[in-house]
Amino acid sequence: MIKPEQCERLTNKARKTLEEYGLGEVSDLLLASGRWGIRLDVSTIDEYRRTGNSRVGGSPDLPEKMEWPVTQEGVPMTFLAQLNLVDLSPYTPNDGRGSLPERGMLYFFVGVDEPAYNIEHRVIFEPDARHLVKREPEGNTALEQAEFVGHAVTVLPNLEFPTYAYVDSKALSAAAVTQPDVQQEGEADVDLYDRYLDFESHWNHPSSKNWGGMFGYPDGQQPDAEHQALLQIATGEEYGYDEKVCVEKLTAHYSGDRNRALQELEDTLLLLKIDTHDEIGFQWWDCGELQFFIRKADLLAGRFDQTYCSLYSS
């Protein structure tokens, strides 16, 4: 769990950076929408001198008797990452949004990344991260052209701010007229939205080493990635890009309990996002992002087979 002193340092750094971008007057509003999570960066190229470390790309370390996951057509899935939970546990959110087992290995595999929704994948939790062996698939994998270079992973605590689709632009616009510095310049109707987007781009993507994150915000055009994920997980239905209809279907699924449906949406978590990254070789369509979602209840119960995978690309 993220230590209080780490939270304080990151919060103070965020507040200072918000002021530098001219957002000091709305820093409390924006900080309240921040999500604590885990930032994942590449370290050095992994030379496989040991097994069981956190790794992205390359080849996985698996239990000897574990079968390599395959698609419905029997094609080996493509390995994406293995995350040793001992590395992650010091940085899991302390705000109740996400929690992980303290030990074990979490593996991420994917099938063909088309279409961009309900992508075949496997998230596998192995409780014992000892006695693993480096494994190779038998033949080409689902992403047959992929040559992902294995890198060791650096794990860091993260305070992530809402992405383009998730920021409350109306609240920012309303707050603009209360800023004395803005009014003195005769720009009482100024929209802080563009200023915020500059900040978000800098803050949420601070380094070219960053390839992913956990429990933060997904990229997208609309704030409905959780709707798509939960509807598929809970009911098996595809999302029709209508949030109202989706909530109605979820309400019906939860025996007419609308509050339960809304809470389940709130508790649909971004388990992992994997960004396009040149050093590793990840290229999700047009510089997009691969996203894995899980219900909070399933996460707490260790049911990593109940996940959803989608891809966002602008």
Side-chain angles (χ1 to χ4, degrees):
M1 185 174 291
I2 304 175
K3 295 179 181 179
E5 55 267 31
Q6 292 174 315
C7 293
E8 183 177 3
R9 283 197 297 268
L10 269 174
T11 299
N12 290 339
K13 181 179 179 181
R15 191 180 295 277
K16 181 179 179 180
T17 307
L18 285 165
E19 291 174 354
E20 291 172 354
Y21 277 80
L23 297 165
E25 294 294 328
V26 291
S27 60
D28 288 339
L29 171 70
L30 293 170
L31 283 165
S33 63
R35 290 180 178 175
W36 291 100
I38 297 171
R39 174 179 152 190
L40 301 168
D41 287 3
V42 294
S43 180
T44 57
I45 292 178
D46 199 323
E47 297 181 351
Y48 303 99
R49 293 178 179 174
R50 66 187 182 97
T51 59
N53 60 297
S54 292
R55 180 183 304 138
V56 58
S59 301
D61 304 324
L62 302 176
E64 193 169 3
K65 295 184 178 179
M66 179 187 290
E67 294 185 3
W68 192 285
V70 297
T71 67
Q72 292 181 356
E73 288 74 28
V75 178
M77 289 189 178
T78 300
F79 169 72
L80 299 174
Q82 63 181 40
L83 300 175
N84 192 315
L85 299 182
V86 170
D87 298 335
L88 303 186
S89 59
Y91 307 117
T92 53
N94 56 7
D95 57 4
R97 278 188 56 80
S99 180
L100 291 163
E102 293 185 358
R103 296 184 180 276
M105 191 76 79
L106 207 56
Y107 299 97
F108 293 84
F109 291 83
V110 72
V112 178
D113 58 349
E114 293 182 7
Y117 55 86
N118 198 22
I119 297 171
E120 266 196 283
H121 71 286
R122 286 285 302 279
V123 178
I124 302 172
F125 171 56
E126 170 53 48
D128 189 352
R130 302 170 300 171
H131 313 300
L132 305 176
V133 293
K134 179 174 175 286
R135 296 269 298 277
E136 301 284 351
E138 296 182 3
N140 290 333
T141 64
L143 299 180
E144 58 183 20
Q145 302 301 321
E147 294 184 5
F148 301 148
V149 180
H151 284 73
V153 174
T154 299
V155 183
L156 299 165
N158 195 29
L159 173 59
E160 188 163 289
F161 283 83
T163 51
Y164 167 82
Y166 286 79
V167 63
D168 190 341
S169 57
K170 291 182 179 179
L172 284 179
S173 296
V177 298
T178 69
Q179 295 192 74
D181 61 321
V182 171
Q183 292 178 355
Q184 288 172 6
E185 295 171 7
E187 299 176 355
D189 60 344
V190 71
D191 189 356
L192 298 186
Y193 189 59
D194 290 339
R195 202 179 302 175
Y196 172 78
L197 291 182
D198 288 341
F199 161 79
E200 185 271 331
S201 178
H202 164 81
W203 180 266
N204 285 350
H205 307 279
S207 167
S208 61
K209 297 294 184 182
N210 182 232
W211 65 267
M214 306 177 77
F215 306 121
Y217 285 95
D219 275 339
Q221 291 294 323
Q222 301 294 330
D224 60 357
E226 294 81 2
H227 291 70
Q228 180 182 136
L230 180 59
L231 188 65
Q232 184 71 46
I233 293 172
T235 72
E237 291 190 48
E238 292 183 3
Y239 178 55
Y241 299 95
D242 187 319
E243 293 182 37
K244 182 178 179 181
V245 171
C246 177
V247 171
E248 290 173 352
K249 289 182 177 181
L250 290 171
T251 299
H253 174 76
Y254 293 114
S255 304
D257 190 340
R258 179 180 174 84
N259 289 334
R260 167 79 186 280
L262 295 176
Q263 186 61 54
E264 287 284 348
L265 282 168
E266 180 68 21
D267 289 342
T268 300
L269 308 177
L270 182 61
L271 177 62
L272 177 68
K273 59 180 176 182
I274 301 179
D275 205 353
T276 291
H277 197 280
D278 290 341
E279 287 185 43
I280 304 169
F282 288 154
Q283 179 67 43
W284 311 117
W285 294 20
D286 186 16
C287 297
E289 178 180 275
L290 198 63
Q291 302 167 353
F292 296 83
F293 292 89
I294 190 169
R295 292 174 59 246
K296 183 177 180 180
D298 290 331
L299 177 66
L300 295 177
R303 294 192 294 263
F304 291 97
D305 57 329
Q306 301 293 318
T307 53
Y308 180 81
C309 179
S310 59
L311 186 154
Y312 168 73
S313 174
S314 58

